[in-house]
mmCIF file of all heavy atoms in Angstrom:
data_model
loop_
_atom_site.group_PDB
_atom_site.id
_atom_site.type_symbol
_atom_site.label_atom_id
_atom_site.label_comp_id
_atom_site.label_asym_id
_atom_site.label_seq_id
_atom_site.Cartn_x
_atom_site.Cartn_y
_atom_site.Cartn_z
ATOM 1 N N ALA A 1578 3.388 24.061 27.199
ATOM 2 C CA ALA A 1578 3.033 24.223 28.612
ATOM 3 C C ALA A 1578 3.975 25.210 29.297
ATOM 4 O O ALA A 1578 3.536 26.041 30.099
ATOM 5 C CB ALA A 1578 3.070 22.874 29.323
ATOM 6 N N ILE A 1579 5.252 25.152 28.975
ATOM 7 C CA ILE A 1579 6.227 26.081 29.553
ATOM 8 C C ILE A 1579 5.904 27.509 29.122
ATOM 9 O O ILE A 1579 5.945 28.434 29.930
ATOM 10 C CB ILE A 1579 7.663 25.683 29.144
ATOM 11 C CG1 ILE A 1579 8.071 24.395 29.842
ATOM 12 C CG2 ILE A 1579 8.655 26.795 29.448
ATOM 13 C CD1 ILE A 1579 9.371 23.796 29.323
ATOM 14 N N VAL A 1580 5.569 27.685 27.854
ATOM 15 C CA VAL A 1580 5.230 29.019 27.355
ATOM 16 C C VAL A 1580 3.970 29.536 28.040
ATOM 17 O O VAL A 1580 3.906 30.695 28.466
ATOM 18 C CB VAL A 1580 5.074 29.006 25.823
ATOM 19 C CG1 VAL A 1580 4.433 30.293 25.319
ATOM 20 C CG2 VAL A 1580 6.430 28.799 25.159
ATOM 21 N N LEU A 1581 2.969 28.687 28.173
ATOM 22 C CA LEU A 1581 1.716 29.111 28.814
ATOM 23 C C LEU A 1581 1.912 29.437 30.295
ATOM 24 O O LEU A 1581 1.227 30.309 30.830
ATOM 25 C CB LEU A 1581 0.639 28.041 28.647
ATOM 26 C CG LEU A 1581 0.076 27.905 27.223
ATOM 27 C CD1 LEU A 1581 -0.851 26.705 27.134
ATOM 28 C CD2 LEU A 1581 -0.642 29.185 26.809
ATOM 29 N N ASP A 1582 2.831 28.723 30.948
ATOM 30 C CA ASP A 1582 3.131 29.015 32.357
ATOM 31 C C ASP A 1582 3.909 30.311 32.521
ATOM 32 O O ASP A 1582 4.011 30.839 33.626
ATOM 33 C CB ASP A 1582 3.965 27.881 32.981
ATOM 34 C CG ASP A 1582 3.163 26.614 33.175
ATOM 35 O OD1 ASP A 1582 1.924 26.690 33.111
ATOM 36 O OD2 ASP A 1582 3.787 25.557 33.389
ATOM 37 N N GLY A 1583 4.483 30.783 31.437
ATOM 38 C CA GLY A 1583 5.296 31.989 31.502
ATOM 39 C C GLY A 1583 6.699 31.739 31.999
ATOM 40 O O GLY A 1583 7.398 32.661 32.402
ATOM 41 N N THR A 1584 7.127 30.471 31.977
ATOM 42 C CA THR A 1584 8.460 30.139 32.475
ATOM 43 C C THR A 1584 9.446 29.834 31.356
ATOM 44 O O THR A 1584 10.526 29.300 31.611
ATOM 45 C CB THR A 1584 8.382 28.927 33.428
ATOM 46 O OG1 THR A 1584 7.820 27.819 32.724
ATOM 47 C CG2 THR A 1584 7.559 29.254 34.662
ATOM 48 N N ALA A 1585 9.082 30.173 30.118
ATOM 49 C CA ALA A 1585 9.974 29.896 28.990
ATOM 50 C C ALA A 1585 11.212 30.770 29.092
ATOM 51 O O ALA A 1585 11.132 31.966 29.321
ATOM 52 C CB ALA A 1585 9.252 30.148 27.678
ATOM 53 N N ASP A 1586 12.368 30.151 28.941
ATOM 54 C CA ASP A 1586 13.631 30.874 28.979
ATOM 55 C C ASP A 1586 14.303 30.769 27.609
ATOM 56 O O ASP A 1586 13.722 30.255 26.654
ATOM 57 C CB ASP A 1586 14.535 30.334 30.083
ATOM 58 C CG ASP A 1586 14.784 28.841 29.960
ATOM 59 O OD1 ASP A 1586 14.282 28.221 28.999
ATOM 60 O OD2 ASP A 1586 15.475 28.281 30.824
ATOM 61 N N ASN A 1587 15.527 31.248 27.528
ATOM 62 C CA ASN A 1587 16.259 31.203 26.258
ATOM 63 C C ASN A 1587 16.462 29.772 25.768
ATOM 64 O O ASN A 1587 16.436 29.512 24.566
ATOM 65 C CB ASN A 1587 17.608 31.910 26.381
ATOM 66 C CG ASN A 1587 17.444 33.410 26.453
ATOM 67 O OD1 ASN A 1587 16.389 33.954 26.095
ATOM 68 N ND2 ASN A 1587 18.475 34.090 26.923
ATOM 69 N N PHE A 1588 16.678 28.852 26.704
ATOM 70 C CA PHE A 1588 16.862 27.448 26.318
ATOM 71 C C PHE A 1588 15.608 26.908 25.628
ATOM 72 O O PHE A 1588 15.704 26.196 24.632
ATOM 73 C CB PHE A 1588 17.202 26.584 27.545
ATOM 74 C CG PHE A 1588 17.316 25.128 27.217
ATOM 75 C CD1 PHE A 1588 18.433 24.643 26.552
ATOM 76 C CD2 PHE A 1588 16.302 24.246 27.557
ATOM 77 C CE1 PHE A 1588 18.542 23.298 26.232
ATOM 78 C CE2 PHE A 1588 16.401 22.892 27.247
ATOM 79 C CZ PHE A 1588 17.521 22.420 26.582
ATOM 80 N N ALA A 1589 14.431 27.245 26.138
ATOM 81 C CA ALA A 1589 13.174 26.783 25.534
ATOM 82 C C ALA A 1589 13.010 27.359 24.129
ATOM 83 O O ALA A 1589 12.590 26.655 23.204
ATOM 84 C CB ALA A 1589 11.987 27.168 26.412
#
Side-chain angles (χ1 to χ4, degrees):
I1579 290 170
V1580 168
L1581 288 173
D1582 289 345
T1584 59
D1586 56 2
N1587 287 342
F1588 176 75

